Amino acid sequence: MPERASWEPPEELTAAELGLWQAYRNGSTYDLRTGDARHDDPFGEVRWGPERAVRARVVARLLLDGPPPLPGRAPALKLTGCYITGHLDLANSEITVPVELQQCRLEASLLLVDCRAGLVILHRCWAPRLEATRLTVEGDLRLNESRLARGLVLAQANIGTDLSLEGLELGGDRRGKALDADGMNIAQDVNADRLEATGELSLRGARVGGTMSLHGCRLSNPRGRWALTASRLTVEENLVVAPGALPSGSDSRLARMQSAAVQGGINLDSSTIGGALVLDGVRLKLADDQELSLRGIQATELTFTPECPERGRVDLQDTVVSRLVDRAASWPGDGRLRLRGFTYEYLIPKGPFPLDQRLAWVHEATPEFNPEPYDRLAACLQAGGEEADAHTVLLTKLRRRRETLHGPLRVWDYIQDLALGYGYRPGRAVLWLVLLLTGGSVWFAKNPPPALKPDEAPHWEPFIYTLDLLLPVLDLGQEAAWRTTGASQWIALTLVILGWLLATIVTAGAAAVILRRN
């Protein structure tokens, strides 16, 4: 019996599989659609018959040990409108041809564990699950508009160019995970616009060489605490969660926007963002025990303009950014904000954000007094040339500190505030001096004291006499020349004491301001 040539198809192939065999050798698309949109919808309820079915083992044979291409052609597996039956297991294999499935259904999960491939595309396909732990793709991995009922696994995968998850719908597995991409490495961009996931997205320790986009995404995890867990994530450029445009056919003028929504906590602790971390217009729905956790993040810019969550917490402890772009209405109150160790250099408010609201922002973040957020805000305002506002912030800090003092220290602190505003209101010293000088001059003008030595006494001047009482260092020759009695004696003593007290406060306030600035 003559040996069968390597290019000849096996005899047991069905008509649909035979057509796929020939299309593979030609590198062309094998289209099994009927032309009826309802019958061709891979997500619809219409059952696909055997005329559209291709067995998974036939697909695997083509990819792993396929026939040679036709002369002048490059082989490729391009399937449209096909129903792949059985378990398509390509684990521990090397695929040397492009793989492109469009509007296909897979009966069982697709396995690409420890697989190497050049280009993998699943567009508008339905499958129970895609497991691709340690997958290596030299080009793109595109799963646009597809549905994976029990989730996607890309743990420790390496993608040579872009990962596209645009419009992908993910369900959760038994553990409640919709995406397991821990340790994943993407050389360029991740496009997850309009991604919809029911279950946790896990990207712990993942790395993205370009931008990560989540415009118009819808994330929820009804079974767990976190909707997105991406601690120690590294994104070389921007990470954006914001509204995105819905596809609208050829006329872009009809484009509609879809808001980004996250139901469940977000954990980006210790992540590094080379560009901007943008949370713009996101609808955050948190439970009381959930939070938007941005602890220890390092980024060039943080744009924090989401819709304010009604419940849950926002945590920016130990986060370091160069620019903070924010909106007053986006920050939660009622002690649900944490800013300890939050460092920023420039404030760029979107819309009105007056100083009193900014101070309330800091107050909400420090239920127990902590000077650090006040010092950071003051330093930022001072660097921007807003000295008066910076002084107001520091005054507010010292007044809150007074709440922690007791007894005489609290009284002395209050006197410093009343007299000079802790040195930040030096004009008050002149005001107090004028008031005391005026009051004393009026009293002693009406109640002149007798001279101690009438023959040697200088000319009586109530203004100079009062000034001599108030100034603790200078001697104007009036105080010692006159003898006060009764009420005038007590008023003179009070003016002397107030003069010394005012001088002490002025000296202490000036020294404190100099020390703070240095």
Side-chain angles (χ1 to χ4, degrees), residues 190 192-193 211-217 235 237-243 260 273 276-280 282:
V190 173
D193 293 348
T211 295
M212 185 171 180
S213 174
L214 286 158
H215 287 90
C217 66
V235 179
E237 297 180 14
N238 301 327
L239 171 55
V240 182
V241 186
I273 314 297
L277 170 58
V278 179
L279 301 173
D280 181 30
V282 188

Side-chain angles (χ1 to χ4, degrees), residues 100-422:
E100 182 176 342
L101 306 181
Q102 296 200 42
Q103 293 182 255
C104 291
R105 290 180 183 174
L106 282 76
E107 181 183 33
S109 299
L110 172 59
L111 289 184
L112 295 173
V113 177
D114 290 309
C115 177
R116 297 184 63 89
L119 172 68
V120 179
I121 299 174
L122 275 73
H123 181 78
R124 281 188 57 79
C125 292
W126 185 94
R129 182 175 172 86
L130 171 55
E131 295 188 21
T133 303
R134 295 180 298 278
L135 167 69
T136 299
V137 180
E138 296 178 3
D140 291 353
L141 174 59
R142 304 177 202 165
L143 306 176
N144 298 344
E145 311 292 342
S146 294
R147 295 183 187 178
L148 300 174
R150 296 199 300 273
L152 170 64
V153 180
L154 289 173
Q156 302 179 52
N158 288 278
I159 311 301
T161 51
D162 297 335
L163 171 63
S164 185
L165 308 177
E166 185 175 0
L168 177 64
E169 295 185 24
L170 295 173
D173 60 12
R174 291 189 300 271
R175 299 176 298 163
K177 278 194 176 183
L179 171 64
D180 182 355
D182 294 346
M184 176 182 67
N185 183 25
I186 309 298
Q188 296 182 15
D189 298 333
V190 173
N191 178 7
D193 293 348
R194 296 181 290 106
L195 171 68
E196 296 190 16
T198 303
E200 179 184 353
L201 299 188
S202 182
L203 294 98
R204 296 179 179 88
R207 181 187 178 279
V208 178
T211 295
M212 185 171 180
S213 174
L214 286 158
H215 287 90
C217 66
R218 300 291 178 91
L219 312 180
S220 67
N221 184 13
R223 296 171 53 188
R225 182 182 181 189
W226 303 106
L228 172 61
T229 305
S231 56
R232 304 184 309 281
L233 171 69
T234 300
V235 179
E236 296 295 336
E237 297 180 14
N238 301 327
L239 171 55
V240 182
V241 186
L246 291 169
S248 56
S250 59
D251 192 345
S252 60
R253 295 173 298 176
L254 301 177
R256 295 178 294 114
M257 299 299 291
Q258 174 173 289
S259 62
V262 180
Q263 181 177 352
I266 298 177
N267 182 350
L268 295 174
D269 293 351
S270 303
S271 293
T272 301
I273 314 297
L277 170 58
V278 179
L279 301 173
D280 181 30
V282 188
R283 289 192 285 114
L284 298 172
K285 187 173 182 180
L286 304 174
D288 291 331
D289 63 340
Q290 294 176 333
E291 61 185 357
L292 170 58
S293 182
L294 307 178
R295 288 191 293 262
I297 284 180
Q298 296 188 22
T300 301
E301 177 180 302
L302 170 61
T303 297
F304 191 88
T305 54
E307 295 183 12
C308 181
E310 297 180 358
R311 301 162 62 189
R313 297 179 300 275
V314 174
D315 194 341
L316 286 98
Q317 295 185 80
D318 301 319
T319 290
V320 178
V321 300
S322 177
R323 297 182 298 274
L324 173 60
V325 181
D326 64 346
R327 183 183 294 119
S330 294
W331 296 104
D334 305 322
R336 296 185 291 123
L337 174 63
R338 298 172 182 171
L339 296 177
R340 182 178 59 80
F342 178 36
T343 302
Y344 51 91
E345 298 178 12
Y346 304 99
L347 282 173
I348 307 173
K350 266 191 170 183
F353 207 147
L355 184 60
D356 58 341
Q357 289 187 338
R358 186 66 76 178
L359 287 170
W361 172 67
V362 175
H363 189 277
E364 291 292 346
T366 52
E368 296 183 0
F369 174 69
N370 183 359
E372 186 179 23
Y374 290 96
D375 291 335
R376 172 51 49 191
L377 177 57
C380 180
L381 293 172
Q382 194 169 27
E386 301 177 55
E387 290 282 348
D389 286 349
H391 289 170
T392 300
V393 172
L394 293 173
L395 267 174
T396 304
K397 177 192 76 170
L398 293 171
R399 286 166 181 163
R400 279 205 68 190
R401 185 196 64 173
R402 185 164 66 228
E403 300 172 2
T404 66
L405 303 177
H406 302 282
L409 288 178
R410 190 167 188 171
V411 174
W412 173 244
D413 195 84
Y414 180 79
I415 292 173
Q416 292 186 75
D417 184 13
L418 182 64
L420 287 179
Y422 301 98

